[in-house]
Amino acid sequence: MNTKRNNILNNLDSAKKMTHRNYESSKSGTTDDNDKTGELQLRMQNLEKINVHLENLVEEDKQKLAETVAKNTRFLSIVAHDLRGPLCTAIGVFDMLKEGMSDYNKSEVEELISIASNSAISTLSLLDNLLAWSVSQNTGKSFNPVKINLHELVINEVESFNTTTAQKQITLNHSIVPKLHITADLQMTKTILRNLISNAIKYTYAGGNISISATEGKKFVEIEVKDNGIGMSGKTMKKLFKSDEFQSLSGTNNEQGTGLGLLFCKEFVGLHGGKIWVESEPNKGSRFKFTLPHYI
């Protein structure tokens, strides 16, 4: 768009200069009157066409700006709601315990603390996403692909979910070979994995299973996060990864979300030249897959 605008502005400037030269020539009497009139008419026609093009560009920019403002406004309102909800829940739990912890038995206290903990984890996850996303907006300085041992990275991420999986009695394992390496931005890759694992836990029933695997290709490694949870319909899948349709279903323990995490995943995978997609059926679980460059 900028190149197109610059070309039009250059043509406009050239037309103005030519018109000015023709005018000066006409004053000095060095240009034939008929030729001068014809050239002036041609230049005026060109100027009119250029003005029309500029008006169209301005109108396009206005529409895009309005769409961007509307999208950002909605984005911020959703983020604010998603931050406020878990924080209010945690504060409410702490107030209940502060006002009368003796009114609750041990199991009730443990349940309340679990609720507050989950709320804090949800808030931290969203903040991590926002931080990674804000950094990604300046890709020239922040995008830093390095050699990553995928096996070690997945082990660390799996261990970070030990408390959450224990609470829902979910088995989380992986089958990544020890010497598999990718070329990727470390923080972005962590964010992708955390979002997909977190979603898998959210939509898997107690006692369920989640597995992480990887398939090596010549240029890319395909990574899969698979669960045997509630799954989703084709209609729901079509709404995923779209910035204009934030899509999120309640988890098996009524966990809430906005679907923003998947948007970040799509953006981060795209920065690496990879792809992300999902395969799922209702009540048969989901398989989220994405590709990142293979380190060879």
Side-chain angles (χ1 to χ4, degrees):
M1 181 62 73
N2 288 334
T3 301
K4 183 178 179 182
R5 181 184 286 101
N6 289 337
N7 289 337
I8 291 175
L9 292 174
N10 289 334
N11 290 336
L12 177 60
D13 185 59
S14 177
K16 287 180 178 178
K17 290 179 180 178
M18 181 62 72
T19 302
H20 178 71
R21 285 198 300 269
N22 289 337
Y23 174 73
E24 292 298 324
S25 296
S26 68
K27 287 175 29 178
S28 64
T30 58
T31 303
D32 181 81
D33 288 344
N34 290 333
D35 290 342
K36 176 196 70 175
T37 301
E39 288 185 9
L40 285 174
Q41 289 177 342
L42 180 61
R43 291 299 171 184
M44 290 301 296
Q45 291 173 358
N46 287 337
L47 285 173
E48 290 177 0
K49 291 180 180 179
I50 291 171
N51 283 333
V52 171
H53 283 305
L54 286 173
E55 289 174 359
N56 290 336
L57 287 175
V58 169
E59 186 61 30
E60 289 177 8
D61 284 351
K62 285 171 62 178
Q63 292 178 356
K64 289 183 177 179
L65 180 60
E67 292 173 359
T68 300
V69 170
K71 185 181 294 183
N72 287 344
T73 300
R74 187 182 177 207
F75 175 84
L76 289 174
S77 66
I78 289 175
V79 169
H81 177 271
D82 213 37
L83 283 171
R84 181 179 176 80
L87 286 174
C88 288
T89 298
I91 292 172
V93 168
F94 293 138
D95 283 344
M96 292 170 60
L97 293 175
K98 181 177 66 176
E99 291 175 1
M101 182 175 290
S102 59
D103 296 335
Y104 304 97
N105 58 41
K106 182 180 179 180
S107 62
E108 289 173 332
V109 170
E110 290 176 348
E111 183 178 356
L112 289 172
I113 292 176
S114 176
I115 292 173
S117 174
N118 288 335
S119 295
I121 291 172
S122 176
T123 302
L124 180 60
S125 176
L126 177 57
L127 289 174
D128 284 342
N129 282 331
L130 290 174
L131 177 60
W133 176 78
S134 65
V135 170
S136 75
Q137 298 309 291
N138 189 3
T139 56
K141 295 182 179 180
S142 61
F143 184 57
N144 183 33
V146 296
K147 178 182 178 182
I148 299 174
N149 185 307
L150 187 60
H151 173 84
E152 295 178 358
L153 177 60
V154 169
I155 287 178
N156 290 332
E157 294 307 312
V158 167
E159 289 179 350
S160 70
F161 284 95
N162 282 345
T163 301
T164 309
T165 53
Q167 289 175 347
K168 290 189 74 172
Q169 299 178 328
I170 290 174
T171 300
L172 173 59
N173 52 45
H174 76 90
S175 58
I176 311 293
V177 296
K179 295 184 179 181
L180 178 57
H181 292 83
I182 58 175
T183 303
D185 183 279
L186 181 59
Q187 186 56 50
M188 291 184 186
T189 306
K190 287 182 177 181
T191 300
I192 295 167
L193 284 170
R194 288 173 186 172
N195 275 291
L196 297 183
I197 294 172
S198 178
N199 278 350
I201 295 172
K202 182 188 300 183
Y203 299 117
T204 298
Y205 292 106
N209 297 286
I210 299 170
S211 62
I212 305 171
S213 60
T215 303
E216 296 182 63
K218 290 183 179 180
K219 295 183 177 181
F220 287 88
V221 174
E222 181 180 299
I223 305 165
E224 176 185 279
V225 178
K226 176 185 176 183
D227 66 68
N228 62 348
I230 62 177
M232 67 188 84
S233 65
K235 182 178 180 180
T236 299
M237 284 190 285
K238 289 180 180 179
K239 295 181 179 180
L240 299 180
F241 308 114
K242 292 185 177 181
S243 60
D244 58 340
E245 294 188 53
F246 296 104
Q247 179 73 22
S248 182
L249 303 174
S250 297
T252 55
N253 279 357
N254 201 35
E255 302 99 326
Q256 300 299 311
T258 60
L260 290 176
L262 291 180
L263 295 183
F264 296 140
C265 288
K266 179 183 178 181
E267 182 167 348
F268 297 158
V269 170
L271 286 173
H272 291 83
K275 298 179 180 179
I276 184 168
W277 68 99
V278 61
E279 299 170 0
S280 184
E281 290 184 48
N283 302 315
K284 293 186 178 181
S286 301
R287 303 160 72 107
F288 279 86
K289 302 180 180 182
F290 65 98
T291 57
L292 293 176
H294 191 187
Y295 181 88
I296 301 175

